[in-house]
Amino acid sequence: MAYVPGEHSPASDHVDTHCPYCSLQCGMALRPVVPDGGPVGVEVVERAAFPVNRGALCGKGRTAPAVLSSRVRLTEPLVRRPDSGRLEPATWEEALDRIAEGLAATGRAYGRDAVGVFGGGGLTNEKAYALGKFARVVLGTSQIDYNGRFCMSSAAAAHQRAFGLDRGLPFPLADVARTGCVVLVGSNLAETMPPALRHLTELKEAGGRLIVVDPRRTRTAEQADLHLAPRPGTDLALALGLLHLVVAEGRVDEEFVERRTSGWPEARAAAMAHWPELVERITGVPVPELRKAVTMFCGAENSMVLTARGPEQQSKGTDTVGAWINLCLATGRAGRPLSGYGCLTGQGNGQGGREHGQKADQLPGYRKLDDSAARAHVAAVWGVEPDALPGPGRSAYELLDALGRDVRALLLMGSNPLVSAPRAAHVESRLRSLDFLAVADVVLSETAALADVVLPVAQWAEETGTMTNLEGRVVLRRAALTPPPGVRTDLQVLGGLAARLGWEKGFPADAEEVFEELRRASAGGPADYSGITYRRIAEEDGVFWPCPERTERTEGAIGAEETEADGSEGAERAQCAERAADAESADPDCAKGTGSGGAGRAGGPHPGTPRLFLDRFATDDGRARFAPVGHRPAAEEPDAEYPVLLTTGRVLAQYQSGAQTRRVAELNEAAPGPYVQLHPQLAERLGAVEGAPIAVVSRRGRAVAPARISRDIRPDTVFMPFHWAGPGRANTVTNPALDPVSRMPEFKVCAVRLELSEG
């Protein structure tokens, strides 16, 4: 029986759904409104029962319906006319014909890999799955990646290396409030995902401690018991220095290390080369603060490390995250309840987007594209021969850099790389050099404005589909409105293109039908969704993966069955169940599988996996792997010509490239444009004054924005938010140097000089 959107709404005039922005995927409800003489719209109302945000929403979530207005969105296809060179309205048939012919002609002339596909971390699981299938089956190209590569790819690589499995948080977000100490590295959570701040507030109210690592004193850092402000690009040295002190002070959990890990001698030797005084010289963090951090982290019964883009968006991001994981492993803060390492995913579906086929080297279910068994499984679901599937392609920046040369035509969905990519002026030139560019988007973004064909597609409130949030919780967005005339869904777009390119079947427009195929394609893979259905998601407020169709006696990577050999962890799981039974501290996720994330009657439906690794890690031998890493400089350090460090990030009222939030009046009033934050000492040397334009110049370009003088930043560092195009585009100057493992660009640190500017 098909799931009916809105069927489980608490009231007939409400539709339960989720926010269209960040990876919290906050629960909200939409209520229809009918203004006098106007079209039916929706307003956001509280949905207090959803456990991630419990009704709380930030300004972006509250104002999300504003982008549904036909005044700010695309409502008809646009085609660039050869005679005028302008984008002008066209029929859907003409637009789809133009795209199909543009992609096919490029493939015929230059080979299939001359056609590229670029996706987005905001696409639903169904869209991400269909887009990856379309690229590999219909186009036959290996050249597909997505902007999620710019989000948490370094953390994903470190997760895989250490634990054998990548899920942003291996535990529900609610566990953060119940641990004893949180080290938050490179996240301004109070501005990037404000509803999550309540979990840190509850942590402190319960007596827990918060350590924030950030070169700026942000709104989040103001909440901290200890704020460490390292020089940008030195997070790796900081983590190694803390581990050195753990060893020197005899705080290693030797029993845990011996029983549940491998590679400790090599990692220990690497950490011991980073003594406290050396780390102070590298990072600028005083030795007493390093010692205090270790005391706070190890003094608590349970502790967590949570990282975000700060340590990850570096050319050594994988090793940096690995060093923070090492700290958790050495102290026994992993593989047990209320402790561990986690990554705060950024984009709404950054997790699910890579699990199901947008990433250059992965197939659905988080299977590896170069694995013969994985290829055979997915090919069978798709009805093609395994040898017909192309191999791994270029990563996101490398794909963008190849445009107009090796890749001559591009289909782009749900991304705005002209603003969001590093070395953005170069990326803009590569986009302009394409033989053919087609963009499907909600609004006419800066990237869409360069396209040969632009397709107007439906938004979050107008279509049903699933998302996977930062916890690995698969949630259901429900349609509350019918898209305006002239607008189609991304699934309809892919189906229409596939039919024109010879594939009449295999690309349905119904999201639930696509999800049913995704379930089969993911079955048996690391990210197994085969036991998840639309109805289960609706009834359970989301289902955590991995969730195979049936529970087995041995759960492998998640270790769901309690064993007599590990009585201590079984006791911890029992305590978790007791907490769930307590009306004052009930944790519905804890009750699933007695907190183990999968225990259930053998052969029965699998309950989903709120908590990973409680019995074993997802490696071949069940042990977590230490990473023997050492500090190395950023790809670009300051020098006489470029003596200052630039770091970038987000602000409260805008989101990612700003393509949607910059069209909301209330958000623009709160954050009207870019700025350059700099310390008073640096401003005095430069002669800068508050509000006057300053040019930030790197080896790649120049960005100009008003000065914002503040003592909340290091004197050797400046900060720019990256949400805007035009002269204040921060990514004009950022460095595309790539991490050798994750292929993540080094957004967070580059060398610049400052100049007074007239604008």
Side-chain angles (χ1 to χ4, degrees):
M1 176 179 175
Y3 174 73
V4 179
E7 179 178 335
H8 296 283
S9 299
S12 59
D13 62 343
H14 287 186
V15 174
D16 285 349
T17 189
H18 295 269
C19 177
Y21 292 113
C22 82
S23 67
L24 289 180
Q25 286 299 289
C26 289
M28 60 167 61
L30 298 179
R31 180 166 56 203
V33 293
V34 186
D36 292 340
V40 176
V42 292
E43 64 179 355
V44 172
V45 294
E46 182 179 300
R47 183 181 164 197
F50 189 66
V52 174
N53 63 311
R54 295 183 302 213
L57 292 169
C58 71
K60 295 185 290 291
R62 286 189 296 100
T63 61
V67 189
L68 297 168
S69 169
S70 59
R71 294 189 298 272
V72 300
R73 68 183 299 178
L74 294 166
T75 57
E76 58 186 347
L78 303 173
V79 169
R80 193 171 301 280
R81 301 299 179 188
D83 51 348
S84 68
R86 294 193 298 267
L87 287 169
E88 298 180 4
T91 66
W92 270 96
E93 287 65 31
E94 180 188 4
L96 291 174
D97 287 345
R98 283 279 298 271
I99 296 174
E101 177 54 28
L103 301 179
T106 301
R108 290 192 299 267
Y110 301 103
R112 292 188 170 191
D113 276 357
V115 180
V117 176
F118 199 87
L123 300 182
T124 64
N125 288 316
E126 293 81 359
K127 295 178 186 179
Y129 172 83
L131 188 62
K133 179 182 177 182
F134 178 84
R136 296 183 172 102
V137 172
V138 177
L139 299 179
T141 182
S142 66
Q143 300 304 300
I144 175 173
D145 211 83
Y146 82 130
N147 62 17
R149 180 78 68 167
F150 301 156
C151 177
M152 60 171 289
S153 57
S154 292
H159 260 129
Q160 291 278 13
R161 187 166 67 183
F163 306 132
L165 186 69
D166 159 40
R167 197 179 84 184
L169 294 182
F171 40 73
L173 185 63
D175 281 6
V176 170
R178 298 178 173 88
T179 192
C181 178
V182 170
V183 181
L184 187 63
V185 188
S187 169
N188 184 11
L189 183 144
E191 296 201 49
T192 59
M193 45 181 66
L197 188 63
R198 71 189 310 162
H199 299 289
L200 296 180
T201 301
E202 291 171 5
L203 163 78
K204 297 187 66 177
E205 290 173 348
R209 312 296 292 276
L210 174 63
I211 302 170
V212 171
V213 179
D214 198 303
R216 301 191 299 140
R217 185 169 179 79
T218 63
R219 296 186 187 185
T220 308
E222 290 174 353
Q223 309 300 315
D225 298 286
L226 177 64
H227 173 212
L228 307 180
R231 183 174 177 266
T234 64
D235 307 89
L236 175 52
L238 178 63
L240 289 165
L242 297 179
L243 183 54
H244 177 110
L245 287 171
V246 165
V247 175
E249 296 176 4
R251 297 180 183 270
V252 175
D253 187 335
E254 301 286 358
E255 190 274 336
F256 177 87
V257 169
E258 173 66 25
R259 181 170 55 88
R260 298 203 60 190
T261 73
S262 62
W264 170 235
E266 295 80 6
R268 180 185 186 279
M272 297 314 289
H274 297 76
W275 59 95
E277 293 74 16
L278 173 63
V279 170
E280 179 178 321
R281 290 200 298 272
I282 294 172
T283 66
V285 178
V287 170
E289 292 187 4
L290 298 175
R291 295 187 184 280
K292 185 176 181 180
V294 168
T295 298
M296 292 170 63
F297 184 74
C298 295
E301 181 179 356
N302 300 295
S303 303
M304 295 176 179
V305 172
L306 305 177
T307 68
R309 306 300 79 73
E312 297 163 20
Q313 288 180 328
Q314 299 184 28
S315 60
K316 53 182 181 294
T318 301
D319 284 355
T320 301
V321 174
W324 288 104
I325 292 174
N326 286 352
L327 181 66
C328 292
L329 294 177
T331 56
R333 265 66 173 176
R336 61 186 177 91
L338 306 183
S339 285
Y341 165 78
C343 166
L344 299 174
T345 307
Q347 294 190 82
N349 204 29
Q351 182 74 50
R354 69 180 178 280
E355 291 169 4
H356 298 300
Q358 285 190 100
K359 199 158 170 275
D361 57 352
Q362 287 178 189
L363 288 169
Y366 223 133
R367 288 181 161 91
K368 294 182 178 179
L369 190 54
D370 57 3
D371 180 279
S372 58
R375 292 170 66 88
H377 175 87
V378 174
V381 174
W382 288 349
V384 299
E385 292 297 321
D387 291 344
L389 298 179
R394 293 176 173 87
S395 69
Y397 179 77
E398 291 166 304
L399 174 56
L400 295 172
D401 186 47
L403 299 181
R405 295 188 289 254
D406 297 327
V407 178
R408 309 293 292 265
L410 183 70
L411 173 64
L412 187 147
M413 281 189 163
S415 185
N416 189 18
L418 190 145
V419 176
S420 63
R423 197 185 173 195
H426 172 71
V427 170
E428 180 177 351
S429 71
R430 302 303 342 133
L431 286 163
R432 292 183 182 275
S433 72
L434 282 164
D435 295 347
F436 182 80
L437 172 62
V439 174
D441 209 334
V442 170
V443 298
L444 190 66
S445 70
E446 287 78 10
T447 304
L450 301 182
D452 297 286
V453 181
V454 181
L455 301 178
V457 292
Q459 296 193 52
W460 58 287
E462 301 163 346
E463 57 183 355
T464 296
T466 61
M467 307 284 281
T468 305
N469 81 344
L470 78 171
E471 312 162 294
R473 185 197 302 258
V474 184
V475 300
L476 184 64
R477 284 187 185 171
R478 299 173 175 87
L481 292 171
T482 301
V487 171
R488 297 184 184 181
T489 69
D490 290 292
L491 292 179
Q492 288 175 314
V493 168
L494 291 174
L497 291 176
R500 284 164 170 80
L501 294 169
W503 290 79
E504 295 287 344
K505 297 181 179 180
F507 292 88
D510 179 74
E512 188 172 9
E513 187 176 347
V514 176
F515 190 79
E516 288 301 304
E517 183 177 302
L518 182 157
R519 292 176 61 206
R520 298 196 304 274
S522 73
D528 191 333
Y529 282 37
S530 61
I532 303 175
T533 64
Y534 274 29
R535 183 171 294 280
R536 277 196 63 182
I537 297 171
E539 292 173 349
E540 299 174 29
D541 255 339
V543 180
F544 291 83
W545 73 261
C547 183
E549 198 158 15
R550 313 298 288 179
T551 295
E552 304 293 338
R553 289 298 303 173
T554 301
E555 291 291 339
I558 61 173
E561 298 294 336
E562 295 184 18
T563 62
E564 295 181 2
D566 188 8
S568 62
E569 291 179 4
E572 287 172 324
R573 288 195 292 274
Q575 292 170 9
C576 183
E578 291 173 6
R579 284 195 299 275
D582 187 337
E584 294 184 359
S585 60
D587 174 4
D589 297 324
C590 199
K592 295 178 184 178
T594 321
S596 71
R601 182 185 303 171
H606 195 285
T609 313
R611 294 172 180 82
L612 297 168
F613 314 138
L614 297 187
D615 294 301
R616 67 190 311 273
F617 296 97
T619 56
D620 291 341
D621 59 5
R623 293 172 173 265
R625 305 186 187 100
F626 279 95
V629 297
H631 173 71
R632 60 184 185 273
E636 187 177 76
E637 292 285 345
D639 57 21
E641 187 176 3
Y642 301 97
V644 178
L645 290 166
L646 168 70
T647 191
T648 66
R650 286 170 48 190
V651 297
L652 175 62
Q654 301 289 352
Y655 181 72
Q656 303 301 69
S657 75
Q660 295 184 47
T661 52
R662 285 187 275 118
R663 288 167 167 81
V664 179
E666 180 179 329
L667 300 179
N668 282 332
E669 289 174 9
Y675 60 86
V676 180
Q677 184 186 37
L678 69 164
H679 192 275
Q681 293 177 12
L682 187 54
E684 183 178 2
R685 291 202 303 269
L686 184 65
V689 297
E690 180 76 16
I694 288 184
V696 179
V697 185
S698 76
R699 291 175 174 85
R700 290 154 295 280
R702 173 189 181 97
V704 180
R708 184 172 295 182
I709 301 172
S710 170
R711 294 188 178 277
D712 292 338
I713 192 169
R714 292 174 54 99
D716 58 2
T717 301
V718 296
F719 167 83
M720 289 189 73
F722 59 76
H723 309 289
W724 290 271
R729 182 174 60 185
N731 278 320
T732 296
V733 299
T734 51
N735 192 351
L738 301 180
D739 180 287
V741 180
S742 69
R743 316 309 288 171
M744 167 76 86
E746 192 155 55
F747 288 98
K748 287 303 182 198
V749 53
C750 70
V752 300
R753 68 170 181 265
L754 305 182
E755 300 173 352
L756 299 181
S757 174
E758 296 181 358

